Amino acid sequence: MSASWNDFNKAPAANLIPKGALAKVRLTIRPGGYDDPAQGWTGGYATRGTTGAVYLSGEFTVLEGPYARRKIFTLIGLSSPKGPDWGNMGRAFVRGMLNSARGIPNKDDSPQAQAARRISGFADIDGLEFVARIDIGTDANGEEKNEIRAAIMPDHKEYAALMGLTPVARSATAGAGSAASAAKPPTPAPAAGGVRPSWAQ
């Protein structure tokens, strides 16, 4: 007997990607039209919510693997009237995305690594591709939904394969350095006027 189109109690529940799954994703920022040049927020990328919180509305598309083409929507905090915590979480997330996308170990503070973590504006991360750990959160109605809150660093054992990099021979002590060498970070665009906005420092 076929499923009834009058009763949806036995219809499949929302098909969530399992918590902890790793995937290569591409970030697309959905413009909110809010600018604050004093903060370096230009180009209309940021969104200002009704509570006064400012964020980037992120659409993350899974690029490969069993969940390819799935989209995950997550807000990246910039500021909140409630305090600095949300903005700091957003900054940490963007740092992780840049590390992952540009092959920079999190603890690498070399001049090259520092340069790779600088952006001239949000346009530099719109379209960024990196390896993400997929999480499960809740939406405004309390329903479960997938979220992305963390990026996977180059020293993770699955990073090279997920980024599509050619594995390199390395000794047991080579660690993150070899993985990072497989992903040569692009030279980031310098900030306008040579001065980084406060949020990018």
Side-chain angles (χ1 to χ4, degrees), residues 14-132:
N15 183 21
L16 295 176
I17 299 173
K19 179 182 177 71
L22 305 181
K24 184 178 181 181
V25 300
R26 178 188 295 119
L27 166 63
T28 300
I29 301 173
R30 297 187 293 171
Y34 179 79
D35 287 340
D36 184 347
Q39 298 285 346
W41 304 337
T42 59
Y45 286 98
T47 299
R48 189 175 190 272
T50 55
T51 64
V54 182
Y55 54 87
L56 299 177
S57 182
E59 175 183 305
F60 298 84
T61 303
V62 179
L63 299 177
E64 300 169 1
Y67 309 109
R69 296 185 296 280
R70 294 278 291 273
K71 294 184 183 296
I72 300 170
F73 301 93
T74 301
L75 304 184
I76 304 170
L78 298 179
S79 71
S80 169
K82 297 180 180 179
D85 289 351
W86 201 41
N88 288 337
M89 289 171 58
R91 284 170 51 83
F93 185 23
V94 172
R95 174 190 169 104
M97 288 193 292
L98 290 169
N99 283 341
S100 182
R102 298 177 174 177
I104 307 299
N106 194 44
K107 295 181 180 179
D108 187 349
D109 285 325
S110 67
Q112 294 84 358
Q114 292 184 39
R117 294 191 191 105
R118 294 188 183 114
I119 62 174
S120 58
F122 293 135
D124 289 359
I125 61 172
D126 190 26
L128 201 67
E129 296 182 3
F130 66 99
V131 180

